[in-house]
PDB file of all heavy atoms in Angstrom:
ATOM      1  N   VAL A 861     101.339  54.910  82.563  1.00 99.00           N
ATOM      2  CA  VAL A 861     102.534  55.077  83.396  1.00 99.00           C
ATOM      3  C   VAL A 861     102.096  55.416  84.813  1.00 99.00           C
ATOM      4  O   VAL A 861     101.260  56.293  85.019  1.00 99.00           O
ATOM      5  CB  VAL A 861     103.453  56.194  82.857  1.00 99.00           C
ATOM      6  CG1 VAL A 861     104.711  56.301  83.707  1.00 99.00           C
ATOM      7  CG2 VAL A 861     103.806  55.942  81.395  1.00 99.00           C
ATOM      8  N   GLY A 862     102.671  54.724  85.789  1.00 99.00           N
ATOM      9  CA  GLY A 862     102.388  55.010  87.190  1.00 99.00           C
ATOM     10  C   GLY A 862     103.562  55.708  87.836  1.00 99.00           C
ATOM     11  O   GLY A 862     104.715  55.307  87.650  1.00 99.00           O
ATOM     12  N   VAL A 863     103.293  56.776  88.581  1.00 98.00           N
ATOM     13  CA  VAL A 863     104.322  57.519  89.298  1.00 98.00           C
ATOM     14  C   VAL A 863     104.069  57.366  90.788  1.00 98.00           C
ATOM     15  O   VAL A 863     103.011  57.764  91.289  1.00 98.00           O
ATOM     16  CB  VAL A 863     104.315  59.018  88.913  1.00 98.00           C
ATOM     17  CG1 VAL A 863     105.370  59.777  89.715  1.00 98.00           C
ATOM     18  CG2 VAL A 863     104.555  59.185  87.415  1.00 98.00           C
ATOM     19  N   LEU A 864     105.017  56.767  91.494  1.00 98.00           N
ATOM     20  CA  LEU A 864     104.909  56.591  92.943  1.00 98.00           C
ATOM     21  C   LEU A 864     105.685  57.708  93.633  1.00 98.00           C
ATOM     22  O   LEU A 864     106.886  57.847  93.447  1.00 98.00           O
ATOM     23  CB  LEU A 864     105.486  55.234  93.358  1.00 98.00           C
ATOM     24  CG  LEU A 864     104.847  53.995  92.723  1.00 98.00           C
ATOM     25  CD1 LEU A 864     105.498  52.737  93.282  1.00 98.00           C
ATOM     26  CD2 LEU A 864     103.351  53.966  92.950  1.00 98.00           C
ATOM     27  N   GLY A 865     104.976  58.493  94.436  1.00 98.00           N
ATOM     28  CA  GLY A 865     105.584  59.645  95.089  1.00 98.00           C
ATOM     29  C   GLY A 865     105.210  60.905  94.343  1.00 98.00           C
ATOM     30  O   GLY A 865     105.637  61.101  93.200  1.00 98.00           O
ATOM     31  N   LEU A 866     104.369  61.737  94.941  1.00 98.00           N
ATOM     32  CA  LEU A 866     103.890  62.947  94.274  1.00 98.00           C
ATOM     33  C   LEU A 866     104.348  64.198  95.015  1.00 98.00           C
ATOM     34  O   LEU A 866     103.579  65.146  95.201  1.00 98.00           O
ATOM     35  CB  LEU A 866     102.363  62.907  94.143  1.00 98.00           C
ATOM     36  CG  LEU A 866     101.825  61.790  93.241  1.00 98.00           C
ATOM     37  CD1 LEU A 866     100.308  61.751  93.284  1.00 98.00           C
ATOM     38  CD2 LEU A 866     102.322  61.950  91.807  1.00 98.00           C
ATOM     39  N   GLY A 867     105.603  64.183  95.435  1.00 96.00           N
ATOM     40  CA  GLY A 867     106.214  65.384  95.957  1.00 96.00           C
ATOM     41  C   GLY A 867     106.559  66.315  94.801  1.00 96.00           C
ATOM     42  O   GLY A 867     106.026  66.179  93.698  1.00 96.00           O
ATOM     43  N   GLU A 868     107.474  67.239  95.036  1.00 96.00           N
ATOM     44  CA  GLU A 868     107.830  68.202  93.998  1.00 96.00           C
ATOM     45  C   GLU A 868     108.340  67.502  92.730  1.00 96.00           C
ATOM     46  O   GLU A 868     107.920  67.817  91.615  1.00 96.00           O
ATOM     47  CB  GLU A 868     108.893  69.170  94.527  1.00 96.00           C
ATOM     48  CG  GLU A 868     108.451  70.026  95.692  1.00 96.00           C
ATOM     49  CD  GLU A 868     107.530  71.151  95.276  1.00 96.00           C
ATOM     50  OE1 GLU A 868     107.477  71.464  94.068  1.00 96.00           O
ATOM     51  OE2 GLU A 868     106.865  71.720  96.155  1.00 96.00           O
ATOM     52  N   MET A 869     109.244  66.536  92.908  1.00 97.00           N
ATOM     53  CA  MET A 869     109.777  65.834  91.733  1.00 97.00           C
ATOM     54  C   MET A 869     108.708  64.980  91.071  1.00 97.00           C
ATOM     55  O   MET A 869     108.578  64.964  89.843  1.00 97.00           O
ATOM     56  CB  MET A 869     110.968  64.965  92.138  1.00 97.00           C
ATOM     57  CG  MET A 869     112.260  65.709  92.280  1.00 97.00           C
ATOM     58  SD  MET A 869     113.655  64.576  92.521  1.00 97.00           S
ATOM     59  CE  MET A 869     115.006  65.756  92.561  1.00 97.00           C
ATOM     60  N   GLY A 870     107.934  64.249  91.876  1.00 98.00           N
ATOM     61  CA  GLY A 870     106.918  63.368  91.323  1.00 98.00           C
ATOM     62  C   GLY A 870     105.874  64.121  90.525  1.00 98.00           C
ATOM     63  O   GLY A 870     105.469  63.684  89.433  1.00 98.00           O
ATOM     64  N   ARG A 871     105.446  65.273  91.048  1.00 98.00           N
ATOM     65  CA  ARG A 871     104.467  66.072  90.316  1.00 98.00           C
ATOM     66  C   ARG A 871     105.048  66.596  89.007  1.00 98.00           C
ATOM     67  O   ARG A 871     104.371  66.590  87.964  1.00 98.00           O
ATOM     68  CB  ARG A 871     103.988  67.242  91.178  1.00 98.00           C
ATOM     69  CG  ARG A 871     103.060  66.822  92.300  1.00 98.00           C
ATOM     70  CD  ARG A 871     102.297  68.014  92.860  1.00 98.00           C
ATOM     71  NE  ARG A 871     103.175  68.987  93.487  1.00 98.00           N
ATOM     72  CZ  ARG A 871     103.555  68.923  94.760  1.00 98.00           C
ATOM     73  NH1 ARG A 871     103.140  67.912  95.527  1.00 98.00           N
ATOM     74  NH2 ARG A 871     104.343  69.843  95.278  1.00 98.00           N
ATOM     75  N   THR A 872     106.295  67.038  89.046  1.00 98.00           N
ATOM     76  CA  THR A 872     106.925  67.543  87.830  1.00 98.00           C
ATOM     77  C   THR A 872     107.028  66.441  86.785  1.00 98.00           C
ATOM     78  O   THR A 872     106.760  66.659  85.593  1.00 98.00           O
ATOM     79  CB  THR A 872     108.321  68.108  88.138  1.00 98.00           C
ATOM     80  OG1 THR A 872     108.209  69.119  89.144  1.00 98.00           O
ATOM     81  CG2 THR A 872     108.955  68.720  86.901  1.00 98.00           C
ATOM     82  N   VAL A 873     107.412  65.241  87.216  1.00 98.00           N
ATOM     83  CA  VAL A 873     107.516  64.101  86.301  1.00 98.00           C
ATOM     84  C   VAL A 873     106.140  63.747  85.734  1.00 98.00           C
ATOM     85  O   VAL A 873     105.978  63.550  84.516  1.00 98.00           O
ATOM     86  CB  VAL A 873     108.132  62.889  87.017  1.00 98.00           C
ATOM     87  CG1 VAL A 873     107.928  61.603  86.213  1.00 98.00           C
ATOM     88  CG2 VAL A 873     109.613  63.124  87.275  1.00 98.00           C
ATOM     89  N   ALA A 874     105.133  63.656  86.596  1.00 98.00           N
ATOM     90  CA  ALA A 874     103.795  63.280  86.150  1.00 98.00           C
ATOM     91  C   ALA A 874     103.256  64.276  85.124  1.00 98.00           C
ATOM     92  O   ALA A 874     102.690  63.883  84.083  1.00 98.00           O
ATOM     93  CB  ALA A 874     102.856  63.172  87.344  1.00 98.00           C
ATOM     94  N   LEU A 875     103.437  65.569  85.383  1.00 98.00           N
ATOM     95  CA  LEU A 875     102.936  66.587  84.457  1.00 98.00           C
ATOM     96  C   LEU A 875     103.678  66.541  83.126  1.00 98.00           C
ATOM     97  O   LEU A 875     103.075  66.749  82.060  1.00 98.00           O
ATOM     98  CB  LEU A 875     103.067  67.966  85.101  1.00 98.00           C
ATOM     99  CG  LEU A 875     102.095  68.242  86.259  1.00 98.00           C
ATOM    100  CD1 LEU A 875     102.474  69.523  86.986  1.00 98.00           C
ATOM    101  CD2 LEU A 875     100.656  68.314  85.742  1.00 98.00           C
ATOM    102  N   ARG A 876     104.984  66.263  83.161  1.00 98.00           N
ATOM    103  CA  ARG A 876     105.752  66.136  81.912  1.00 98.00           C
ATOM    104  C   ARG A 876     105.213  64.979  81.075  1.00 98.00           C
ATOM    105  O   ARG A 876     105.030  65.096  79.853  1.00 98.00           O
ATOM    106  CB  ARG A 876     107.230  65.931  82.238  1.00 98.00           C
ATOM    107  CG  ARG A 876     108.114  65.486  81.070  1.00 98.00           C
ATOM    108  CD  ARG A 876     108.228  66.550  79.984  1.00 98.00           C
ATOM    109  NE  ARG A 876     109.033  66.081  78.881  1.00 98.00           N
ATOM    110  CZ  ARG A 876     110.356  66.336  78.736  1.00 98.00           C
ATOM    111  NH1 ARG A 876     110.992  67.055  79.653  1.00 98.00           N
ATOM    112  NH2 ARG A 876     111.012  65.881  77.699  1.00 98.00           N
ATOM    113  N   LEU A 877     104.911  63.865  81.720  1.00 98.00           N
ATOM    114  CA  LEU A 877     104.423  62.695  80.986  1.00 98.00           C
ATOM    115  C   LEU A 877     103.015  62.930  80.442  1.00 98.00           C
ATOM    116  O   LEU A 877     102.677  62.454  79.357  1.00 98.00           O
ATOM    117  CB  LEU A 877     104.454  61.471  81.893  1.00 98.00           C
ATOM    118  CG  LEU A 877     105.861  61.033  82.325  1.00 98.00           C
ATOM    119  CD1 LEU A 877     105.776  59.897  83.340  1.00 98.00           C
ATOM    120  CD2 LEU A 877     106.708  60.615  81.124  1.00 98.00           C
ATOM    121  N   VAL A 878     102.202  63.668  81.188  1.00 98.00           N
ATOM    122  CA  VAL A 878     100.876  64.036  80.674  1.00 98.00           C
ATOM    123  C   VAL A 878     101.032  64.878  79.415  1.00 98.00           C
ATOM    124  O   VAL A 878     100.330  64.657  78.405  1.00 98.00           O
ATOM    125  CB  VAL A 878     100.069  64.800  81.746  1.00 98.00           C
ATOM    126  CG1 VAL A 878      98.828  65.454  81.135  1.00 98.00           C
ATOM    127  CG2 VAL A 878      99.666  63.867  82.870  1.00 98.00           C
ATOM    128  N   ARG A 879     101.941  65.845  79.454  1.00 98.00           N
ATOM    129  CA  ARG A 879     102.165  66.678  78.260  1.00 98.00           C
ATOM    130  C   ARG A 879     102.663  65.858  77.079  1.00 98.00           C
ATOM    131  O   ARG A 879     102.394  66.188  75.920  1.00 98.00           O
ATOM    132  CB  ARG A 879     103.170  67.794  78.576  1.00 98.00           C
ATOM    133  CG  ARG A 879     102.645  68.869  79.498  1.00 98.00           C
ATOM    134  CD  ARG A 879     103.508  70.116  79.448  1.00 98.00           C
ATOM    135  NE  ARG A 879     104.875  69.861  79.854  1.00 98.00           N
ATOM    136  CZ  ARG A 879     105.308  69.941  81.107  1.00 98.00           C
ATOM    137  NH1 ARG A 879     104.457  70.232  82.080  1.00 98.00           N
ATOM    138  NH2 ARG A 879     106.572  69.706  81.388  1.00 98.00           N
ATOM    139  N   ASP A 880     103.383  64.782  77.371  1.00 98.00           N
ATOM    140  CA  ASP A 880     103.882  63.915  76.298  1.00 98.00           C
ATOM    141  C   ASP A 880     102.816  62.967  75.774  1.00 98.00           C
ATOM    142  O   ASP A 880     103.079  62.189  74.847  1.00 98.00           O
ATOM    143  CB  ASP A 880     105.092  63.106  76.789  1.00 98.00           C
ATOM    144  CG  ASP A 880     106.329  63.977  76.982  1.00 98.00           C
ATOM    145  OD1 ASP A 880     106.335  65.125  76.496  1.00 98.00           O
ATOM    146  OD2 ASP A 880     107.287  63.510  77.626  1.00 98.00           O
ATOM    147  N   GLY A 881     101.632  63.003  76.378  1.00 98.00           N
ATOM    148  CA  GLY A 881     100.507  62.224  75.854  1.00 98.00           C
ATOM    149  C   GLY A 881     100.229  60.912  76.535  1.00 98.00           C
ATOM    150  O   GLY A 881      99.335  60.169  76.110  1.00 98.00           O
ATOM    151  N   TYR A 882     100.960  60.577  77.611  1.00 98.00           N
ATOM    152  CA  TYR A 882     100.758  59.299  78.289  1.00 98.00           C
ATOM    153  C   TYR A 882      99.556  59.363  79.230  1.00 98.00           C
ATOM    154  O   TYR A 882      99.168  60.439  79.710  1.00 98.00           O
ATOM    155  CB  TYR A 882     102.016  58.910  79.080  1.00 98.00           C
ATOM    156  CG  TYR A 882     103.196  58.617  78.191  1.00 98.00           C
ATOM    157  CD1 TYR A 882     104.182  59.576  77.962  1.00 98.00           C
ATOM    158  CD2 TYR A 882     103.321  57.383  77.560  1.00 98.00           C
ATOM    159  CE1 TYR A 882     105.251  59.322  77.123  1.00 98.00           C
ATOM    160  CE2 TYR A 882     104.389  57.115  76.720  1.00 98.00           C
ATOM    161  CZ  TYR A 882     105.353  58.090  76.500  1.00 98.00           C
ATOM    162  OH  TYR A 882     106.405  57.829  75.658  1.00 98.00           O
ATOM    163  N   ARG A 883      98.984  58.211  79.483  1.00 98.00           N
ATOM    164  CA  ARG A 883      97.968  58.075  80.530  1.00 98.00           C
ATOM    165  C   ARG A 883      98.712  57.875  81.839  1.00 98.00           C
ATOM    166  O   ARG A 883      99.444  56.882  81.990  1.00 98.00           O
ATOM    167  CB  ARG A 883      97.031  56.900  80.243  1.00 98.00           C
ATOM    168  CG  ARG A 883      96.142  57.124  79.038  1.00 98.00           C
ATOM    169  CD  ARG A 883      95.137  56.007  78.862  1.00 98.00           C
ATOM    170  NE  ARG A 883      95.761  54.759  78.450  1.00 98.00           N
ATOM    171  CZ  ARG A 883      95.802  53.645  79.176  1.00 98.00           C
ATOM    172  NH1 ARG A 883      95.252  53.606  80.371  1.00 98.00           N
ATOM    173  NH2 ARG A 883      96.391  52.567  78.712  1.00 98.00           N
ATOM    174  N   VAL A 884      98.566  58.785  82.766  1.00 98.00           N
ATOM    175  CA  VAL A 884      99.393  58.788  83.970  1.00 98.00           C
ATOM    176  C   VAL A 884      98.536  58.573  85.207  1.00 98.00           C
ATOM    177  O   VAL A 884      97.508  59.226  85.395  1.00 98.00           O
ATOM    178  CB  VAL A 884     100.185  60.108  84.099  1.00 98.00           C
ATOM    179  CG1 VAL A 884     101.092  60.068  85.325  1.00 98.00           C
ATOM    180  CG2 VAL A 884     101.016  60.353  82.836  1.00 98.00           C
ATOM    181  N   MET A 885      98.984  57.640  86.044  1.00 98.00           N
ATOM    182  CA  MET A 885      98.414  57.425  87.359  1.00 98.00           C
ATOM    183  C   MET A 885      99.465  57.829  88.389  1.00 98.00           C
ATOM    184  O   MET A 885     100.668  57.669  88.155  1.00 98.00           O
ATOM    185  CB  MET A 885      98.027  55.954  87.563  1.00 98.00           C
ATOM    186  CG  MET A 885      97.018  55.426  86.559  1.00 98.00           C
ATOM    187  SD  MET A 885      96.689  53.652  86.796  1.00 98.00           S
ATOM    188  CE  MET A 885      95.778  53.677  88.356  1.00 98.00           C
ATOM    189  N   GLY A 886      99.020  58.355  89.512  1.00 98.00           N
ATOM    190  CA  GLY A 886      99.953  58.751  90.557  1.00 98.00           C
ATOM    191  C   GLY A 886      99.506  58.250  91.907  1.00 98.00           C
ATOM    192  O   GLY A 886      98.302  58.122  92.167  1.00 98.00           O
ATOM    193  N   TRP A 887     100.473  57.971  92.772  1.00 98.00           N
ATOM    194  CA  TRP A 887     100.150  57.478  94.115  1.00 98.00           C
ATOM    195  C   TRP A 887     101.071  58.127  95.132  1.00 98.00           C
ATOM    196  O   TRP A 887     102.262  58.354  94.880  1.00 98.00           O
ATOM    197  CB  TRP A 887     100.324  55.964  94.188  1.00 98.00           C
ATOM    198  CG  TRP A 887      99.957  55.404  95.536  1.00 98.00           C
ATOM    199  CD1 TRP A 887      98.706  55.062  95.973  1.00 98.00           C
ATOM    200  CD2 TRP A 887     100.846  55.134  96.625  1.00 98.00           C
ATOM    201  NE1 TRP A 887      98.760  54.594  97.258  1.00 98.00           N
ATOM    202  CE2 TRP A 887     100.054  54.631  97.697  1.00 98.00           C
ATOM    203  CE3 TRP A 887     102.219  55.282  96.797  1.00 98.00           C
ATOM    204  CZ2 TRP A 887     100.617  54.269  98.923  1.00 98.00           C
ATOM    205  CZ3 TRP A 887     102.765  54.928  98.025  1.00 98.00           C
ATOM    206  CH2 TRP A 887     101.970  54.416  99.072  1.00 98.00           C
ATOM    207  N   SER A 888     100.513  58.425  96.285  1.00 97.00           N
ATOM    208  CA  SER A 888     101.287  58.938  97.409  1.00 97.00           C
ATOM    209  C   SER A 888     100.610  58.491  98.690  1.00 97.00           C
ATOM    210  O   SER A 888      99.460  58.011  98.675  1.00 97.00           O
ATOM    211  CB  SER A 888     101.380  60.470  97.356  1.00 97.00           C
ATOM    212  OG  SER A 888     100.092  61.041  97.297  1.00 97.00           O
ATOM    213  N   THR A 889     101.313  58.622  99.796  1.00 94.00           N
ATOM    214  CA  THR A 889     100.742  58.158 101.067  1.00 94.00           C
ATOM    215  C   THR A 889      99.591  59.040 101.517  1.00 94.00           C
ATOM    216  O   THR A 889      98.720  58.593 102.256  1.00 94.00           O
ATOM    217  CB  THR A 889     101.824  58.137 102.160  1.00 94.00           C
ATOM    218  OG1 THR A 889     102.443  59.433 102.243  1.00 94.00           O
ATOM    219  CG2 THR A 889     102.893  57.091 101.826  1.00 94.00           C
ATOM    220  N   ARG A 890      99.587  60.288 101.064  1.00 94.00           N
ATOM    221  CA  ARG A 890      98.476  61.194 101.337  1.00 94.00           C
ATOM    222  C   ARG A 890      97.943  61.730 100.019  1.00 94.00           C
ATOM    223  O   ARG A 890      98.679  61.849  99.043  1.00 94.00           O
ATOM    224  CB  ARG A 890      98.936  62.361 102.222  1.00 94.00           C
ATOM    225  CG  ARG A 890      99.406  61.942 103.611  1.00 94.00           C
ATOM    226  CD  ARG A 890      99.782  63.164 104.423  1.00 94.00           C
ATOM    227  NE  ARG A 890     100.286  62.794 105.751  1.00 94.00           N
ATOM    228  CZ  ARG A 890     100.698  63.674 106.658  1.00 94.00           C
ATOM    229  NH1 ARG A 890     100.653  64.972 106.375  1.00 94.00           N
ATOM    230  NH2 ARG A 890     101.142  63.273 107.831  1.00 94.00           N
ATOM    231  N   ALA A 891      96.664  62.075  99.991  1.00 95.00           N
ATOM    232  CA  ALA A 891      96.053  62.584  98.766  1.00 95.00           C
ATOM    233  C   ALA A 891      96.833  63.783  98.244  1.00 95.00           C
ATOM    234  O   ALA A 891      97.143  64.706  98.989  1.00 95.00           O
ATOM    235  CB  ALA A 891      94.603  62.973  99.031  1.00 95.00           C
ATOM    236  N   ALA A 892      97.169  63.750  96.952  1.00 96.00           N
ATOM    237  CA  ALA A 892      97.947  64.820  96.327  1.00 96.00           C
ATOM    238  C   ALA A 892      97.471  64.995  94.888  1.00 96.00           C
ATOM    239  O   ALA A 892      98.072  64.449  93.959  1.00 96.00           O
ATOM    240  CB  ALA A 892      99.446  64.495  96.372  1.00 96.00           C
ATOM    241  N   PRO A 893      96.386  65.743  94.675  1.00 97.00           N
ATOM    242  CA  PRO A 893      95.849  65.912  93.321  1.00 97.00           C
ATOM    243  C   PRO A 893      96.854  66.568  92.376  1.00 97.00           C
ATOM    244  O   PRO A 893      97.588  67.476  92.765  1.00 97.00           O
ATOM    245  CB  PRO A 893      94.635  66.829  93.545  1.00 97.00           C
ATOM    246  CG  PRO A 893      94.290  66.690  94.990  1.00 97.00           C
ATOM    247  CD  PRO A 893      95.589  66.447  95.691  1.00 97.00           C
ATOM    248  N   VAL A 894      96.905  66.066  91.145  1.00 98.00           N
ATOM    249  CA  VAL A 894      97.758  66.622  90.098  1.00 98.00           C
ATOM    250  C   VAL A 894      96.912  66.721  88.838  1.00 98.00           C
ATOM    251  O   VAL A 894      96.301  65.730  88.425  1.00 98.00           O
ATOM    252  CB  VAL A 894      98.999  65.742  89.832  1.00 98.00           C
ATOM    253  CG1 VAL A 894      99.871  66.358  88.739  1.00 98.00           C
ATOM    254  CG2 VAL A 894      99.808  65.538  91.109  1.00 98.00           C
ATOM    255  N   ALA A 895      96.869  67.877  88.222  1.00 96.00           N
ATOM    256  CA  ALA A 895      96.025  68.093  87.049  1.00 96.00           C
ATOM    257  C   ALA A 895      96.345  67.093  85.941  1.00 96.00           C
ATOM    258  O   ALA A 895      97.508  66.929  85.566  1.00 96.00           O
ATOM    259  CB  ALA A 895      96.210  69.524  86.545  1.00 96.00           C
ATOM    260  N   GLY A 896      95.324  66.440  85.434  1.00 97.00           N
ATOM    261  CA  GLY A 896      95.495  65.504  84.333  1.00 97.00           C
ATOM    262  C   GLY A 896      95.977  64.128  84.729  1.00 97.00           C
ATOM    263  O   GLY A 896      96.183  63.270  83.863  1.00 97.00           O
ATOM    264  N   VAL A 897      96.173  63.903  86.047  1.00 98.00           N
ATOM    265  CA  VAL A 897      96.691  62.622  86.540  1.00 98.00           C
ATOM    266  C   VAL A 897      95.640  61.975  87.432  1.00 98.00           C
ATOM    267  O   VAL A 897      95.036  62.641  88.279  1.00 98.00           O
ATOM    268  CB  VAL A 897      97.998  62.828  87.345  1.00 98.00           C
ATOM    269  CG1 VAL A 897      98.515  61.501  87.890  1.00 98.00           C
ATOM    270  CG2 VAL A 897      99.047  63.508  86.475  1.00 98.00           C
ATOM    271  N   HIS A 898      95.418  60.689  87.227  1.00 98.00           N
ATOM    272  CA  HIS A 898      94.504  59.942  88.093  1.00 98.00           C
ATOM    273  C   HIS A 898      95.286  59.567  89.356  1.00 98.00           C
ATOM    274  O   HIS A 898      96.144  58.684  89.330  1.00 98.00           O
ATOM    275  CB  HIS A 898      94.002  58.683  87.385  1.00 98.00           C
ATOM    276  CG  HIS A 898      93.082  57.855  88.223  1.00 98.00           C
ATOM    277  ND1 HIS A 898      91.782  58.221  88.482  1.00 98.00           N
ATOM    278  CD2 HIS A 898      93.283  56.685  88.874  1.00 98.00           C
ATOM    279  CE1 HIS A 898      91.212  57.311  89.251  1.00 98.00           C
ATOM    280  NE2 HIS A 898      92.109  56.369  89.507  1.00 98.00           N
ATOM    281  N   THR A 899      95.029  60.260  90.456  1.00 98.00           N
ATOM    282  CA  THR A 899      95.815  60.074  91.667  1.00 98.00           C
ATOM    283  C   THR A 899      95.027  59.325  92.734  1.00 98.00           C
ATOM    284  O   THR A 899      93.799  59.308  92.732  1.00 98.00           O
ATOM    285  CB  THR A 899      96.282  61.421  92.243  1.00 98.00           C
ATOM    286  OG1 THR A 899      95.131  62.206  92.593  1.00 98.00           O
ATOM    287  CG2 THR A 899      97.128  62.175  91.244  1.00 98.00           C
ATOM    288  N   GLY A 900      95.764  58.721  93.641  1.00 98.00           N
ATOM    289  CA  GLY A 900      95.146  58.010  94.750  1.00 98.00           C
ATOM    290  C   GLY A 900      96.118  57.859  95.893  1.00 98.00           C
ATOM    291  O   GLY A 900      97.327  58.104  95.750  1.00 98.00           O
ATOM    292  N   ALA A 901      95.587  57.492  97.042  1.00 98.00           N
ATOM    293  CA  ALA A 901      96.393  57.248  98.234  1.00 98.00           C
ATOM    294  C   ALA A 901      95.836  56.013  98.922  1.00 98.00           C
ATOM    295  O   ALA A 901      94.682  55.646  98.725  1.00 98.00           O
ATOM    296  CB  ALA A 901      96.360  58.448  99.170  1.00 98.00           C
ATOM    297  N   GLY A 902      96.675  55.368  99.708  1.00 96.00           N
ATOM    298  CA  GLY A 902      96.219  54.181 100.422  1.00 96.00           C
ATOM    299  C   GLY A 902      96.513  52.897  99.657  1.00 96.00           C
ATOM    300  O   GLY A 902      96.865  52.909  98.473  1.00 96.00           O
TER     301      GLY A 902
END
């Protein structure tokens, strides 16, 4: 599952999906590390 936008809502969503067992990728315009999520920018 890919989550675009890692603001407050995006991080909360990404962490919920990680807890549910999904492989989660995240992207934002600036680097925004989230525990358990493979994140990137650019």
Side-chain angles (χ1 to χ4, degrees):
V861 182
V863 178
L864 301 182
L866 295 174
E868 297 285 344
M869 280 188 177
R871 287 197 296 273
T872 304
V873 166
L875 289 170
R876 167 66 182 264
L877 295 174
V878 167
R879 290 197 300 271
D880 289 346
Y882 294 99
R883 292 186 290 115
V884 183
M885 301 176 70
W887 182 84
S888 55
T889 54
R890 296 182 182 179
V894 180
V897 178
H898 179 74
T899 62

